[in-house]
Amino acid sequence: MDDQVSWRERRREASAVQAAALERRKAAETEQARAQLADFVLKMKEKGIQPELLRAPVVGSGASYRTGITGWYLRRNRSLGVDTEGNFYILGAPASLKARLLGLRILPSDPPLTVGLGARDGESLPLKKLLRLRLEEIDDAQRQAGGETPEPEHPGAG
C-alpha cells in the first residue's frame, strides 16, 4: 500500500514539475511574441502608417462590429490585429444583435509565436514572418504610390 501511495505522490510531483516547465516556456514564448509586436508597432509608426479603428469581422458573414481598438490589422481577412500599444487581438466574432448595436469589447490575448497553429494546412505561420510580410506589403504599396504612405486596402498575410 505504501508503494502505491509513494508512486502516486511521485506521479503528482512529476506532473507538477512538467506543468511548471510548460508554463515557463509559454511565458517565454509570449514575451518573445510581445517583443516582435512592439517592434512591428514601432516600424509602423516610423513609416508613418496611421492606425485605424479596428472592427471585428463576424465569422461567416460580411458584417463587422466596432471594437474601440485603434491599431493595425495583421491579416488580410482582418481576423487579427495589434493596437498602438502592441497588444494582440483575435478579432473574429460570432453574430450578436447587442454587438451590432453597441459594438464589441475584445480583450487582448497573449500573442503566439506561431499564428494559426492547429488551423488547416497552410494557415499557420510564424508571427515574425507574418509581421515581415505585412511590412513588405506596406513597402510595396508605398513604392507604387510614389513614396507616399497610403495604407493598402486589406494588408497583411492571411
Side-chain angles (χ1 to χ4, degrees), residues 25-152:
R25 189 181 84 223
K26 171 98 171 93
E29 288 178 1
T30 297
E31 283 308 307
Q32 287 177 357
R34 285 188 199 284
Q36 291 173 13
L37 287 169
D39 185 54
F40 174 80
V41 167
L42 181 65
K43 288 177 180 173
M44 292 294 279
K45 290 177 180 178
E46 287 173 351
K47 290 176 180 296
I49 304 300
Q50 295 299 311
E52 62 184 291
L53 287 171
L54 302 182
R55 296 183 62 88
V58 177
V59 177
S61 165
S64 64
Y65 303 137
R66 295 179 312 274
T67 65
I69 300 166
T70 301
W72 301 273
Y73 294 103
L74 299 178
R75 297 192 90 134
R76 281 189 195 116
N77 66 5
R78 297 181 171 221
S79 62
L80 300 176
V82 61
D83 70 12
T84 56
E85 304 299 316
N87 295 307
F88 177 79
Y89 294 89
I90 299 170
L91 297 171
S96 160
L97 179 60
K98 182 180 176 185
R100 183 178 182 137
L101 296 173
L102 303 174
L104 188 64
R105 183 166 186 253
I106 298 178
L107 299 175
S109 299
D110 285 340
L113 279 178
T114 302
V115 174
L117 201 57
R120 295 183 302 211
D121 287 345
E123 289 189 1
S124 67
L125 84 150
L127 178 64
K128 191 173 197 167
K129 183 175 181 179
L130 174 65
L131 299 176
R132 181 177 46 79
L133 290 170
R134 175 72 168 90
L135 290 168
E136 287 173 2
E137 284 183 359
I138 290 169
D139 289 342
D140 290 346
Q142 286 177 336
R143 277 191 292 277
Q144 289 175 2
E148 298 173 18
T149 58
E151 180 78 17

